[in-house]
């Protein structure tokens, strides 16, 4: 999800992929890793400590080469561009709302949260002076709460074709409710030593506006499932995250700097059962959602939490980078991701090509800190299986970047380096794979082939539905006279694919961009 006014491709919630059982030959990275965990004698087959340390050091070296780790000056420029873009967008929204009957007072109250827009400044946007972005915690244009309410206000203005309904619009101008939500963000329940605040996830879940966005970020996590976090549990979360942040600071110092520069708030909660859930969204700028399982808190797997936090930091950084740009990435749904089951935009592909290798590299860097041979064996298998789907994805991202116009690449030059950086991480994962016993190595390679076969199958389903996905590994294809079967060459292998009646087309929440107009009315009616 991103602010209204940007390309549809950017309106996507970003969540750490969770294994699923959908589709034939679907490789399940967690189940795949667990299989090795169950069948391996880790003490007999584990690598030498020196080799583990060598691979961990190489992973740390790759982390230092992160392509979006721009200089502080460059990041400040990006933050300022983001401020100016949001200021204009918010100003237009406030100006439109102020013209409706009985809405002007509410608009004035809301505008006072934004420097330059108060006292009718939203009607003089072209006259406003330049501005320089403040740190994330002090920048109202990076407030998740204000972004959520402004996004709702914009949607309420666009909802009805015959003209906005003043009663619905006024529902997003309730100063007392906005102030209540904002108080949670500005006076968090806890703060980490790095300054990032904690907001208990059950608190914003009581807000109609915030709850809607939380639900879109975590579609499988109903608000009725939010456990009430007591003081002792919040202390355990804080201790766990302090350890995770300390590990990031030790192994990925640039990632740590960007993490604390990009986030001011963590919406935290506890899940009774695994798995953990970490999410972020461009419609909730400056924040991320982290729901830890009680199992994670009990076991103290700080490395896994740290890796997933950096995954979300990658989403926040890349989203911040793209939404601040003058030239938007193309918003067409033309790519099939091995991590999803439906068509994706180039931006969605880039997010997965960027964040998942980053997470894998950090997990590799942490291998040397894991002293338990059994857990280390499982973590190695997980990294290999998790990265397997990057094999086709990186080439898809590279092809998508090649198709961009010159203006976009001039405005977003660093994204061009993402596929090459991710390829180097995938190569390092290959070295980890080479250390596996031969039987396990063969099974991992078979898993990679299942990924490619599944990719061919997904592409075939799209072709049979009249779509034209872009994938450089796709060769000649031919649909038969019935329209129910397609012959397809993919990655040098011939496939005959029959049309499946239940193939997901838009089931994924990543298709929020295509459904937001349909879901917005229910949110507004609730107001």
């Amino acid at each position: 999800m991103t602010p209204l006014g940007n390309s549809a491709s950017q309106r996507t919630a970003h969540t750490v992929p969770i294994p699923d059982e959908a589709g034939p030959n679907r490789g399940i990275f967690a189940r795949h890793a667990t299989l090795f965990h169950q069948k391996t004698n880790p003490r007999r087959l584990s690598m030498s400590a020196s080799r583990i340390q060598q691979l961990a050091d190489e992973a740390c070296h790759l982390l230092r080469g992160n392509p979006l780790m721009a200089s502080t000056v460059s990041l400040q420029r990006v933050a300022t561009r983001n401020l100016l873009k949001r200021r204009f967008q918010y100003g237009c929204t406030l100006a439109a709302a102020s013209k409706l009957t009985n809405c002007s007072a509410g608009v004035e109250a809301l505008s006072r949260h934004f420097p330059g827009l108060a006292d009718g400044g939203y009607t003089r946007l072209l006259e406003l002076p330049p501005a320089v972005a403040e740190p994330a915690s002090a920048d109202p244009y990076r407030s998740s709460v204000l972004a959520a309410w402004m996004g709702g206000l914009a949607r309420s203005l666009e909802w009805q074709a015959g003209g906005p309904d003043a009663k619905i619009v006024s529902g997003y101008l309730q100063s007392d409710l906005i102030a209540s939500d904002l108080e949670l963000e500005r006076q968090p329940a806890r703060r980490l030593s790095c300054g990032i605040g904690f907001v208990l996830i059950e608190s914003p879940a009581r807000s109609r506006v915030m709850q809607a966005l939380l639900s879109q970020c975590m579609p499988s996590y109903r608000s009725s499932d939010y456990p009430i976090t007591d003081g002792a549990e919040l202390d355990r979360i804080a201790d766990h995250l302090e350890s995770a942040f300390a590990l990031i600071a030790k192994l990925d110092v640039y990632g740590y700097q960007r993490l604390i520069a990009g986030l001011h708030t963590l919406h935290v909660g506890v899940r009774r059962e695994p798995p953990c859930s970490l999410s972020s969204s461009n419609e909730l700028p400056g924040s991320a959602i982290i729901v830890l399982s009680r199992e994670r808190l009990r076991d103290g797997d700080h490395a896994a939490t740290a890796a997933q936090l950096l995954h979300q930091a990658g989403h926040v950084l890349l989203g911040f980078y793209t939404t601040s740009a003058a030239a938007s990435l193309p918003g067409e749904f033309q790519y099939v991701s091995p991590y999803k089951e439906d068509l994706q935009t180039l931006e969605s592909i880039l997010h997965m090509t960027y964040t998942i290798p980053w997470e894998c590299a950090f997990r590799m860097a942490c291998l040397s800190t894991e002293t338990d041979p059994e857990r280390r064996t499982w973590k190695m298998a997980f990294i290999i299986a998790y990265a397997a789907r990057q094999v086709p994805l990186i080439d898809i991202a590279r092809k998508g970047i090649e198709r961009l116009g010159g203006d976009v690449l001039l405005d977003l030059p660093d994204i061009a380096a993402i596929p090459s950086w991710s390829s180097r991480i995938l190569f390092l994962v290959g070295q980890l794979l080479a250390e596996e016993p031969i039987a396990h190595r063969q099974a991992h390679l078979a898993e990679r082939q299942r990924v490619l076969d599944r990719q061919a199958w997904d592409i075939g389903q799209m072709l049979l539905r009249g779509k034209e996905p872009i994938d450089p590994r796709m060769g000649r294809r031919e649909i038969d006279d019935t329209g129910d079967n397609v012959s397809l060459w993919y990655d040098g292998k011939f496939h005959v694919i029959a049309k499946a009646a239940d193939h997901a087309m838009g089931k994924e929440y990543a298709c929020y961009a295509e459904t937001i107009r349909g879901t917005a009315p229910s949110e507004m009616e609730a107001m």
Side-chain angles (χ1 to χ4, degrees), residues 371-402:
T371 57
D372 184 280
E374 187 176 3
R375 289 180 65 176
R376 187 169 60 236
T377 298
W378 188 92
K379 288 182 177 184
M380 288 166 56
F382 180 90
I383 292 167
I384 295 167
Y386 194 24
R389 301 186 193 188
Q390 291 289 317
V391 173
L393 188 69
I394 289 171
D395 287 340
I396 294 169
R398 184 176 286 112
K399 181 65 175 179
I401 289 173
E402 288 175 359

PDB file of all heavy atoms in Angstrom, residues 371-402:
ATOM      1  N   THR A 371      25.637 -21.635  18.112  1.00  0.00           N
ATOM      2  CA  THR A 371      26.523 -22.656  18.682  1.00  0.00           C
ATOM      3  C   THR A 371      25.904 -24.048  18.694  1.00  0.00           C
ATOM      4  O   THR A 371      26.626 -25.040  18.832  1.00  0.00           O
ATOM      5  CB  THR A 371      26.909 -22.267  20.122  1.00  0.00           C
ATOM      6  OG1 THR A 371      25.718 -22.109  20.907  1.00  0.00           O
ATOM      7  CG2 THR A 371      27.705 -20.965  20.119  1.00  0.00           C
ATOM      8  N   ASP A 372      24.579 -24.122  18.574  1.00  0.00           N
ATOM      9  CA  ASP A 372      23.919 -25.424  18.584  1.00  0.00           C
ATOM     10  C   ASP A 372      23.971 -26.045  17.185  1.00  0.00           C
ATOM     11  O   ASP A 372      23.390 -25.489  16.247  1.00  0.00           O
ATOM     12  CB  ASP A 372      22.465 -25.271  19.033  1.00  0.00           C
ATOM     13  CG  ASP A 372      21.759 -26.607  19.159  1.00  0.00           C
ATOM     14  OD1 ASP A 372      21.330 -27.153  18.118  1.00  0.00           O
ATOM     15  OD2 ASP A 372      21.648 -27.115  20.286  1.00  0.00           O
ATOM     16  N   PRO A 373      24.669 -27.183  17.007  1.00  0.00           N
ATOM     17  CA  PRO A 373      24.824 -27.759  15.655  1.00  0.00           C
ATOM     18  C   PRO A 373      23.500 -28.122  15.004  1.00  0.00           C
ATOM     19  O   PRO A 373      23.338 -27.971  13.783  1.00  0.00           O
ATOM     20  CB  PRO A 373      25.680 -29.011  15.908  1.00  0.00           C
ATOM     21  CG  PRO A 373      26.354 -28.775  17.209  1.00  0.00           C
ATOM     22  CD  PRO A 373      25.396 -27.965  18.026  1.00  0.00           C
ATOM     23  N   GLU A 374      22.551 -28.597  15.784  1.00  0.00           N
ATOM     24  CA  GLU A 374      21.267 -29.001  15.220  1.00  0.00           C
ATOM     25  C   GLU A 374      20.509 -27.799  14.675  1.00  0.00           C
ATOM     26  O   GLU A 374      19.999 -27.818  13.543  1.00  0.00           O
ATOM     27  CB  GLU A 374      20.436 -29.717  16.288  1.00  0.00           C
ATOM     28  CG  GLU A 374      19.144 -30.311  15.741  1.00  0.00           C
ATOM     29  CD  GLU A 374      18.394 -31.097  16.801  1.00  0.00           C
ATOM     30  OE1 GLU A 374      18.860 -31.125  17.966  1.00  0.00           O
ATOM     31  OE2 GLU A 374      17.355 -31.678  16.472  1.00  0.00           O
ATOM     32  N   ARG A 375      20.448 -26.716  15.452  1.00  0.00           N
ATOM     33  CA  ARG A 375      19.760 -25.514  14.985  1.00  0.00           C
ATOM     34  C   ARG A 375      20.487 -24.907  13.790  1.00  0.00           C
ATOM     35  O   ARG A 375      19.853 -24.400  12.856  1.00  0.00           O
ATOM     36  CB  ARG A 375      19.656 -24.491  16.116  1.00  0.00           C
ATOM     37  CG  ARG A 375      18.676 -24.892  17.203  1.00  0.00           C
ATOM     38  CD  ARG A 375      18.594 -23.877  18.314  1.00  0.00           C
ATOM     39  NE  ARG A 375      18.051 -22.609  17.853  1.00  0.00           N
ATOM     40  CZ  ARG A 375      17.815 -21.574  18.661  1.00  0.00           C
ATOM     41  NH1 ARG A 375      18.091 -21.671  19.949  1.00  0.00           N
ATOM     42  NH2 ARG A 375      17.335 -20.449  18.183  1.00  0.00           N
ATOM     43  N   ARG A 376      21.818 -24.939  13.809  1.00  0.00           N
ATOM     44  CA  ARG A 376      22.569 -24.386  12.683  1.00  0.00           C
ATOM     45  C   ARG A 376      22.296 -25.175  11.400  1.00  0.00           C
ATOM     46  O   ARG A 376      22.151 -24.583  10.325  1.00  0.00           O
ATOM     47  CB  ARG A 376      24.057 -24.369  12.990  1.00  0.00           C
ATOM     48  CG  ARG A 376      24.878 -23.652  11.923  1.00  0.00           C
ATOM     49  CD  ARG A 376      26.306 -23.404  12.375  1.00  0.00           C
ATOM     50  NE  ARG A 376      26.997 -24.635  12.680  1.00  0.00           N
ATOM     51  CZ  ARG A 376      27.576 -24.914  13.840  1.00  0.00           C
ATOM     52  NH1 ARG A 376      27.516 -24.053  14.842  1.00  0.00           N
ATOM     53  NH2 ARG A 376      28.201 -26.067  14.038  1.00  0.00           N
ATOM     54  N   THR A 377      22.201 -26.503  11.509  1.00  0.00           N
ATOM     55  CA  THR A 377      21.898 -27.327  10.333  1.00  0.00           C
ATOM     56  C   THR A 377      20.535 -26.963   9.762  1.00  0.00           C
ATOM     57  O   THR A 377      20.365 -26.826   8.544  1.00  0.00           O
ATOM     58  CB  THR A 377      21.926 -28.821  10.721  1.00  0.00           C
ATOM     59  OG1 THR A 377      23.242 -29.149  11.164  1.00  0.00           O
ATOM     60  CG2 THR A 377      21.553 -29.697   9.545  1.00  0.00           C
ATOM     61  N   TRP A 378      19.541 -26.787  10.651  1.00  0.00           N
ATOM     62  CA  TRP A 378      18.215 -26.414  10.179  1.00  0.00           C
ATOM     63  C   TRP A 378      18.243 -25.033   9.515  1.00  0.00           C
ATOM     64  O   TRP A 378      17.626 -24.822   8.469  1.00  0.00           O
ATOM     65  CB  TRP A 378      17.234 -26.405  11.351  1.00  0.00           C
ATOM     66  CG  TRP A 378      15.808 -26.229  10.903  1.00  0.00           C
ATOM     67  CD1 TRP A 378      14.907 -27.197  10.614  1.00  0.00           C
ATOM     68  CD2 TRP A 378      15.133 -24.983  10.666  1.00  0.00           C
ATOM     69  NE1 TRP A 378      13.722 -26.648  10.216  1.00  0.00           N
ATOM     70  CE2 TRP A 378      13.824 -25.293  10.236  1.00  0.00           C
ATOM     71  CE3 TRP A 378      15.503 -23.649  10.780  1.00  0.00           C
ATOM     72  CZ2 TRP A 378      12.897 -24.311   9.927  1.00  0.00           C
ATOM     73  CZ3 TRP A 378      14.573 -22.661  10.463  1.00  0.00           C
ATOM     74  CH2 TRP A 378      13.285 -22.995  10.047  1.00  0.00           C
ATOM     75  N   LYS A 379      18.974 -24.088  10.124  1.00  0.00           N
ATOM     76  CA  LYS A 379      19.023 -22.726   9.576  1.00  0.00           C
ATOM     77  C   LYS A 379      19.707 -22.705   8.211  1.00  0.00           C
ATOM     78  O   LYS A 379      19.310 -21.946   7.320  1.00  0.00           O
ATOM     79  CB  LYS A 379      19.745 -21.798  10.556  1.00  0.00           C
ATOM     80  CG  LYS A 379      18.917 -21.491  11.799  1.00  0.00           C
ATOM     81  CD  LYS A 379      19.630 -20.527  12.736  1.00  0.00           C
ATOM     82  CE  LYS A 379      18.744 -20.184  13.926  1.00  0.00           C
ATOM     83  NZ  LYS A 379      19.357 -19.177  14.815  1.00  0.00           N
ATOM     84  N   MET A 380      20.740 -23.512   8.033  1.00  0.00           N
ATOM     85  CA  MET A 380      21.395 -23.599   6.729  1.00  0.00           C
ATOM     86  C   MET A 380      20.415 -24.099   5.673  1.00  0.00           C
ATOM     87  O   MET A 380      20.329 -23.550   4.567  1.00  0.00           O
ATOM     88  CB  MET A 380      22.615 -24.518   6.817  1.00  0.00           C
ATOM     89  CG  MET A 380      23.782 -23.926   7.583  1.00  0.00           C
ATOM     90  SD  MET A 380      25.036 -25.156   8.018  1.00  0.00           S
ATOM     91  CE  MET A 380      25.426 -25.833   6.407  1.00  0.00           C
ATOM     92  N   ALA A 381      19.679 -25.154   6.012  1.00  0.00           N
ATOM     93  CA  ALA A 381      18.700 -25.707   5.073  1.00  0.00           C
ATOM     94  C   ALA A 381      17.615 -24.683   4.756  1.00  0.00           C
ATOM     95  O   ALA A 381      17.162 -24.562   3.611  1.00  0.00           O
ATOM     96  CB  ALA A 381      18.090 -26.983   5.646  1.00  0.00           C
ATOM     97  N   PHE A 382      17.199 -23.921   5.779  1.00  0.00           N
ATOM     98  CA  PHE A 382      16.165 -22.903   5.561  1.00  0.00           C
ATOM     99  C   PHE A 382      16.655 -21.835   4.576  1.00  0.00           C
ATOM    100  O   PHE A 382      15.932 -21.434   3.662  1.00  0.00           O
ATOM    101  CB  PHE A 382      15.786 -22.261   6.892  1.00  0.00           C
ATOM    102  CG  PHE A 382      14.732 -21.192   6.768  1.00  0.00           C
ATOM    103  CD1 PHE A 382      13.393 -21.508   6.867  1.00  0.00           C
ATOM    104  CD2 PHE A 382      15.077 -19.865   6.536  1.00  0.00           C
ATOM    105  CE1 PHE A 382      12.408 -20.527   6.734  1.00  0.00           C
ATOM    106  CE2 PHE A 382      14.112 -18.879   6.409  1.00  0.00           C
ATOM    107  CZ  PHE A 382      12.773 -19.214   6.512  1.00  0.00           C
ATOM    108  N   ILE A 383      17.885 -21.352   4.768  1.00  0.00           N
ATOM    109  CA  ILE A 383      18.437 -20.322   3.880  1.00  0.00           C
ATOM    110  C   ILE A 383      18.455 -20.814   2.440  1.00  0.00           C
ATOM    111  O   ILE A 383      18.044 -20.110   1.511  1.00  0.00           O
ATOM    112  CB  ILE A 383      19.855 -19.931   4.331  1.00  0.00           C
ATOM    113  CG1 ILE A 383      19.815 -19.205   5.677  1.00  0.00           C
ATOM    114  CG2 ILE A 383      20.541 -19.043   3.283  1.00  0.00           C
ATOM    115  CD1 ILE A 383      21.171 -19.063   6.347  1.00  0.00           C
ATOM    116  N   ILE A 384      18.931 -22.040   2.229  1.00  0.00           N
ATOM    117  CA  ILE A 384      19.031 -22.595   0.874  1.00  0.00           C
ATOM    118  C   ILE A 384      17.651 -22.709   0.235  1.00  0.00           C
ATOM    119  O   ILE A 384      17.440 -22.333  -0.926  1.00  0.00           O
ATOM    120  CB  ILE A 384      19.738 -23.959   0.908  1.00  0.00           C
ATOM    121  CG1 ILE A 384      21.194 -23.794   1.363  1.00  0.00           C
ATOM    122  CG2 ILE A 384      19.698 -24.624  -0.466  1.00  0.00           C
ATOM    123  CD1 ILE A 384      21.872 -25.095   1.716  1.00  0.00           C
ATOM    124  N   ALA A 385      16.682 -23.230   1.016  1.00  0.00           N
ATOM    125  CA  ALA A 385      15.335 -23.399   0.479  1.00  0.00           C
ATOM    126  C   ALA A 385      14.643 -22.063   0.242  1.00  0.00           C
ATOM    127  O   ALA A 385      13.936 -21.877  -0.749  1.00  0.00           O
ATOM    128  CB  ALA A 385      14.510 -24.265   1.430  1.00  0.00           C
ATOM    129  N   TYR A 386      14.845 -21.112   1.173  1.00  0.00           N
ATOM    130  CA  TYR A 386      14.212 -19.786   1.070  1.00  0.00           C
ATOM    131  C   TYR A 386      14.722 -19.050  -0.167  1.00  0.00           C
ATOM    132  O   TYR A 386      13.967 -18.354  -0.859  1.00  0.00           O
ATOM    133  CB  TYR A 386      14.544 -19.004   2.333  1.00  0.00           C
ATOM    134  CG  TYR A 386      13.733 -17.747   2.579  1.00  0.00           C
ATOM    135  CD1 TYR A 386      12.465 -17.564   2.037  1.00  0.00           C
ATOM    136  CD2 TYR A 386      14.235 -16.742   3.397  1.00  0.00           C
ATOM    137  CE1 TYR A 386      11.737 -16.415   2.292  1.00  0.00           C
ATOM    138  CE2 TYR A 386      13.514 -15.588   3.661  1.00  0.00           C
ATOM    139  CZ  TYR A 386      12.262 -15.429   3.106  1.00  0.00           C
ATOM    140  OH  TYR A 386      11.541 -14.293   3.352  1.00  0.00           O
ATOM    141  N   ALA A 387      16.013 -19.202  -0.471  1.00  0.00           N
ATOM    142  CA  ALA A 387      16.607 -18.490  -1.605  1.00  0.00           C
ATOM    143  C   ALA A 387      16.321 -19.167  -2.938  1.00  0.00           C
ATOM    144  O   ALA A 387      16.555 -18.562  -3.992  1.00  0.00           O
ATOM    145  CB  ALA A 387      18.117 -18.379  -1.404  1.00  0.00           C
ATOM    146  N   ALA A 388      15.813 -20.405  -2.911  1.00  0.00           N
ATOM    147  CA  ALA A 388      15.631 -21.141  -4.167  1.00  0.00           C
ATOM    148  C   ALA A 388      14.730 -20.403  -5.145  1.00  0.00           C
ATOM    149  O   ALA A 388      14.943 -20.438  -6.363  1.00  0.00           O
ATOM    150  CB  ALA A 388      15.061 -22.533  -3.871  1.00  0.00           C
ATOM    151  N   ARG A 389      13.738 -19.716  -4.638  1.00  0.00           N
ATOM    152  CA  ARG A 389      12.793 -19.027  -5.531  1.00  0.00           C
ATOM    153  C   ARG A 389      13.377 -17.752  -6.126  1.00  0.00           C
ATOM    154  O   ARG A 389      12.766 -17.131  -6.993  1.00  0.00           O
ATOM    155  CB  ARG A 389      11.492 -18.728  -4.777  1.00  0.00           C
ATOM    156  CG  ARG A 389      10.823 -19.986  -4.245  1.00  0.00           C
ATOM    157  CD  ARG A 389       9.471 -19.712  -3.636  1.00  0.00           C
ATOM    158  NE  ARG A 389       9.009 -20.873  -2.884  1.00  0.00           N
ATOM    159  CZ  ARG A 389       7.798 -20.992  -2.362  1.00  0.00           C
ATOM    160  NH1 ARG A 389       6.919 -20.017  -2.513  1.00  0.00           N
ATOM    161  NH2 ARG A 389       7.455 -22.063  -1.680  1.00  0.00           N
ATOM    162  N   GLN A 390      14.553 -17.361  -5.643  1.00  0.00           N
ATOM    163  CA  GLN A 390      15.216 -16.213  -6.258  1.00  0.00           C
ATOM    164  C   GLN A 390      15.808 -16.575  -7.622  1.00  0.00           C
ATOM    165  O   GLN A 390      16.119 -15.681  -8.413  1.00  0.00           O
ATOM    166  CB  GLN A 390      16.334 -15.711  -5.345  1.00  0.00           C
ATOM    167  CG  GLN A 390      15.866 -15.055  -4.063  1.00  0.00           C
ATOM    168  CD  GLN A 390      15.220 -13.705  -4.286  1.00  0.00           C
ATOM    169  OE1 GLN A 390      15.707 -12.898  -5.066  1.00  0.00           O
ATOM    170  NE2 GLN A 390      14.125 -13.451  -3.599  1.00  0.00           N
ATOM    171  N   VAL A 391      15.971 -17.863  -7.907  1.00  0.00           N
ATOM    172  CA  VAL A 391      16.612 -18.285  -9.159  1.00  0.00           C
ATOM    173  C   VAL A 391      15.907 -17.675 -10.371  1.00  0.00           C
ATOM    174  O   VAL A 391      16.540 -17.006 -11.194  1.00  0.00           O
ATOM    175  CB  VAL A 391      16.686 -19.824  -9.245  1.00  0.00           C
ATOM    176  CG1 VAL A 391      17.190 -20.259 -10.614  1.00  0.00           C
ATOM    177  CG2 VAL A 391      17.590 -20.377  -8.143  1.00  0.00           C
ATOM    178  N   PRO A 392      14.579 -17.840 -10.525  1.00  0.00           N
ATOM    179  CA  PRO A 392      13.922 -17.143 -11.643  1.00  0.00           C
ATOM    180  C   PRO A 392      13.632 -15.679 -11.358  1.00  0.00           C
ATOM    181  O   PRO A 392      13.590 -14.852 -12.274  1.00  0.00           O
ATOM    182  CB  PRO A 392      12.618 -17.929 -11.832  1.00  0.00           C
ATOM    183  CG  PRO A 392      12.324 -18.496 -10.484  1.00  0.00           C
ATOM    184  CD  PRO A 392      13.659 -18.774  -9.844  1.00  0.00           C
ATOM    185  N   LEU A 393      13.448 -15.334 -10.069  1.00  0.00           N
ATOM    186  CA  LEU A 393      12.990 -13.982  -9.730  1.00  0.00           C
ATOM    187  C   LEU A 393      14.015 -12.916 -10.092  1.00  0.00           C
ATOM    188  O   LEU A 393      13.662 -11.843 -10.593  1.00  0.00           O
ATOM    189  CB  LEU A 393      12.663 -13.911  -8.241  1.00  0.00           C
ATOM    190  CG  LEU A 393      12.002 -12.611  -7.778  1.00  0.00           C
ATOM    191  CD1 LEU A 393      10.590 -12.503  -8.322  1.00  0.00           C
ATOM    192  CD2 LEU A 393      11.973 -12.531  -6.256  1.00  0.00           C
ATOM    193  N   ILE A 394      15.289 -13.184  -9.849  1.00  0.00           N
ATOM    194  CA  ILE A 394      16.317 -12.179 -10.116  1.00  0.00           C
ATOM    195  C   ILE A 394      16.361 -11.837 -11.598  1.00  0.00           C
ATOM    196  O   ILE A 394      16.483 -10.659 -11.978  1.00  0.00           O
ATOM    197  CB  ILE A 394      17.684 -12.674  -9.609  1.00  0.00           C
ATOM    198  CG1 ILE A 394      17.700 -12.680  -8.079  1.00  0.00           C
ATOM    199  CG2 ILE A 394      18.809 -11.788 -10.130  1.00  0.00           C
ATOM    200  CD1 ILE A 394      18.917 -13.347  -7.469  1.00  0.00           C
ATOM    201  N   ASP A 395      16.234 -12.845 -12.455  1.00  0.00           N
ATOM    202  CA  ASP A 395      16.230 -12.574 -13.895  1.00  0.00           C
ATOM    203  C   ASP A 395      14.978 -11.822 -14.315  1.00  0.00           C
ATOM    204  O   ASP A 395      15.022 -10.989 -15.231  1.00  0.00           O
ATOM    205  CB  ASP A 395      16.343 -13.886 -14.678  1.00  0.00           C
ATOM    206  CG  ASP A 395      17.734 -14.486 -14.599  1.00  0.00           C
ATOM    207  OD1 ASP A 395      18.676 -13.724 -14.283  1.00  0.00           O
ATOM    208  OD2 ASP A 395      17.888 -15.685 -14.840  1.00  0.00           O
ATOM    209  N   ILE A 396      13.857 -12.100 -13.665  1.00  0.00           N
ATOM    210  CA  ILE A 396      12.622 -11.360 -13.959  1.00  0.00           C
ATOM    211  C   ILE A 396      12.811  -9.889 -13.594  1.00  0.00           C
ATOM    212  O   ILE A 396      12.418  -8.989 -14.354  1.00  0.00           O
ATOM    213  CB  ILE A 396      11.442 -11.967 -13.182  1.00  0.00           C
ATOM    214  CG1 ILE A 396      11.138 -13.382 -13.685  1.00  0.00           C
ATOM    215  CG2 ILE A 396      10.195 -11.088 -13.317  1.00  0.00           C
ATOM    216  CD1 ILE A 396      10.163 -14.149 -12.815  1.00  0.00           C
ATOM    217  N   ALA A 397      13.418  -9.629 -12.430  1.00  0.00           N
ATOM    218  CA  ALA A 397      13.668  -8.243 -12.017  1.00  0.00           C
ATOM    219  C   ALA A 397      14.604  -7.549 -12.992  1.00  0.00           C
ATOM    220  O   ALA A 397      14.386  -6.388 -13.361  1.00  0.00           O
ATOM    221  CB  ALA A 397      14.256  -8.226 -10.608  1.00  0.00           C
ATOM    222  N   ARG A 398      15.657  -8.238 -13.415  1.00  0.00           N
ATOM    223  CA  ARG A 398      16.608  -7.647 -14.348  1.00  0.00           C
ATOM    224  C   ARG A 398      15.914  -7.296 -15.677  1.00  0.00           C
ATOM    225  O   ARG A 398      16.145  -6.223 -16.242  1.00  0.00           O
ATOM    226  CB  ARG A 398      17.768  -8.611 -14.591  1.00  0.00           C
ATOM    227  CG  ARG A 398      18.869  -8.043 -15.472  1.00  0.00           C
ATOM    228  CD  ARG A 398      20.024  -8.996 -15.600  1.00  0.00           C
ATOM    229  NE  ARG A 398      20.837  -9.055 -14.384  1.00  0.00           N
ATOM    230  CZ  ARG A 398      20.927 -10.111 -13.586  1.00  0.00           C
ATOM    231  NH1 ARG A 398      20.236 -11.207 -13.867  1.00  0.00           N
ATOM    232  NH2 ARG A 398      21.695 -10.079 -12.520  1.00  0.00           N
ATOM    233  N   LYS A 399      15.053  -8.184 -16.150  1.00  0.00           N
ATOM    234  CA  LYS A 399      14.319  -7.932 -17.394  1.00  0.00           C
ATOM    235  C   LYS A 399      13.385  -6.737 -17.230  1.00  0.00           C
ATOM    236  O   LYS A 399      13.279  -5.885 -18.128  1.00  0.00           O
ATOM    237  CB  LYS A 399      13.518  -9.176 -17.787  1.00  0.00           C
ATOM    238  CG  LYS A 399      12.736  -9.039 -19.084  1.00  0.00           C
ATOM    239  CD  LYS A 399      13.665  -8.874 -20.276  1.00  0.00           C
ATOM    240  CE  LYS A 399      12.887  -8.849 -21.584  1.00  0.00           C
ATOM    241  NZ  LYS A 399      13.780  -8.669 -22.762  1.00  0.00           N
ATOM    242  N   GLY A 400      12.720  -6.650 -16.087  1.00  0.00           N
ATOM    243  CA  GLY A 400      11.815  -5.522 -15.852  1.00  0.00           C
ATOM    244  C   GLY A 400      12.549  -4.202 -15.836  1.00  0.00           C
ATOM    245  O   GLY A 400      12.059  -3.197 -16.371  1.00  0.00           O
ATOM    246  N   ILE A 401      13.728  -4.182 -15.221  1.00  0.00           N
ATOM    247  CA  ILE A 401      14.520  -2.946 -15.192  1.00  0.00           C
ATOM    248  C   ILE A 401      14.979  -2.574 -16.596  1.00  0.00           C
ATOM    249  O   ILE A 401      14.989  -1.389 -16.970  1.00  0.00           O
ATOM    250  CB  ILE A 401      15.712  -3.119 -14.230  1.00  0.00           C
ATOM    251  CG1 ILE A 401      15.207  -3.156 -12.779  1.00  0.00           C
ATOM    252  CG2 ILE A 401      16.717  -1.981 -14.392  1.00  0.00           C
ATOM    253  CD1 ILE A 401      16.263  -3.492 -11.768  1.00  0.00           C
ATOM    254  N   GLU A 402      15.342  -3.561 -17.400  1.00  0.00           N
ATOM    255  CA  GLU A 402      15.759  -3.281 -18.775  1.00  0.00           C
ATOM    256  C   GLU A 402      14.654  -2.605 -19.577  1.00  0.00           C
ATOM    257  O   GLU A 402      14.931  -1.833 -20.496  1.00  0.00           O
ATOM    258  CB  GLU A 402      16.162  -4.587 -19.473  1.00  0.00           C
ATOM    259  CG  GLU A 402      17.481  -5.170 -18.997  1.00  0.00           C
ATOM    260  CD  GLU A 402      17.759  -6.517 -19.642  1.00  0.00           C
ATOM    261  OE1 GLU A 402      16.912  -6.992 -20.440  1.00  0.00           O
ATOM    262  OE2 GLU A 402      18.817  -7.108 -19.339  1.00  0.00           O
TER     263      GLU A 402
END
